[in-house]
Amino acid sequence: MQFHPARKAILKLLADGAFHSGSHIAQTLHCSRASVWSIIHELQQLGLEINAVSGKGYRLARPLELLDAEVIAAQLSAEARPLLTLLDIHDQLDSTNTYLMAQATAGLASGAVCLAEHQTAGRGRVGRVWQSPFAGNICLSVLWRFEEQASVAGLSLSIGVALAHALRRAGIAGLGLKWPNDVLWQARKLGGILLEVSGEAHGRCAVVVGIGLNLHIPPAAAEAIDQDWVDLGQITGGAPPSRNRLVALLLDEVLRLLADYPERGLAGYIEEWRQWHCHAGRAVALHLGGKTIVGTLLGVSDAGLLVLDCGEAGVKEFASGELRLRVL
Ligand code: BTN
């Protein structure tokens, strides 16, 4: 969904974080100052902090970098560019995963990408809500079709490696991965992956790879997060990498991985995944519905299963499914 052009125009004017007077905005948009005020109010309702100072006008408390399809596409490598078939950027959606999966059912091709500045019903793993404040995160989904459902085994772990690569290319150090697919920075959650698969005829399937990455989580959204989290603003001392650049790096890594995946499979990524793994040797609890299993995390098997030493119950392997892993 795209915003009304006047709302988008005001957003673009204010994005620089400088003051813009109400009369200047009204003149630029050919509308009344009352309309400007009402749009500013709508933007505040979206969670954006806008200061109104008499004699100066309006300004965003924090400058914004809005997503731009041309800027993103121009930064893709020659290898990734032909893999991108659609770059669909929305001002607001319920969830980029939900949207793209619906489009997949309607026949959209592999390599279609959907981004949203804001998700009203962002979804995380195991039924969690994913906080998606306006222009504060990267909310990205990629559609890919596979000839055989078996080809997608371990894909979500492998995508974790692609995310770590992209962030490292953006200059972020201190990263790690937590099974099955959290991206951590110094043990705090920076991003996550929600992979959704829809089966089709003759073993074919459509996969939507959803990626959420925290850039700037404002206090109101932070209150609603029940995990130890971090954003790139905190990591970089207030100077996070460009959002468009980050999207390009993520797409560059993820599209190339998806195209190669039927051949390379998890076998091509598992060793590296283990190198990024944060919690080997730690005492952990696995939650499945109302049940909790406690043990020592030995690692991840070649098939991508979590291997846990459960003491007297022996060594056991677990598939991700609806499991939540908590480090004790
Ligand atoms: C998790 O760690 O729980 C997974 C989070 C995945 C969030 C992303 S944001 C883009 C895409 N759309 C969604 O609704 N969810 C994923």
Side-chain angles (χ1 to χ4, degrees), residues 125-126 128 178-180 182 184 187 226-228 279 282-288 291-297 306 308 323-328:
R125 274 192 68 242
V126 285
R128 280 187 158 130
K178 176 185 165 199
W179 185 89
D182 286 357
L184 305 185
D226 65 350
Q227 309 179 62
D228 202 2
H279 297 313
R282 299 284 302 269
V284 296
L286 270 185
H287 301 281
L288 175 61
K291 206 173 149 201
T292 299
I293 301 153
V294 177
T296 304
L297 204 172
L306 186 82
L308 212 60
L323 284 176
R324 273 196 306 126
L325 172 68
R326 191 163 55 88
V327 179
L328 297 174

Side-chain angles (χ1 to χ4, degrees), residues 95-97 119 122-125 130 140 182 189 192-193 211-212:
S95 148
T96 54
N97 262 36
Q119 293 185 129
R123 293 184 290 112
R125 274 192 68 242
W130 185 260
L140 162 72
D182 286 357
K189 183 154 174 172
I193 298 160
I211 297 169

Side-chain angles (χ1 to χ4, degrees), residues 33 46 57 60 74 99 110 115 117 171 184-185 201 273 288 304 313 323:
R33 289 182 66 173
L46 273 178
L60 274 167
Y99 179 84
S110 272
L115 285 144
E117 296 285 9
L184 305 185
W185 180 81
W273 195 94
L288 175 61
L323 284 176

Side-chain angles (χ1 to χ4, degrees), residues 153-177:
L155 181 59
S156 70
L157 263 76
S158 308
I159 296 284
V161 173
L163 257 62
H165 282 177
L167 286 162
R168 188 173 57 189
R169 284 172 67 189
I172 308 298
L175 297 165
L177 295 174

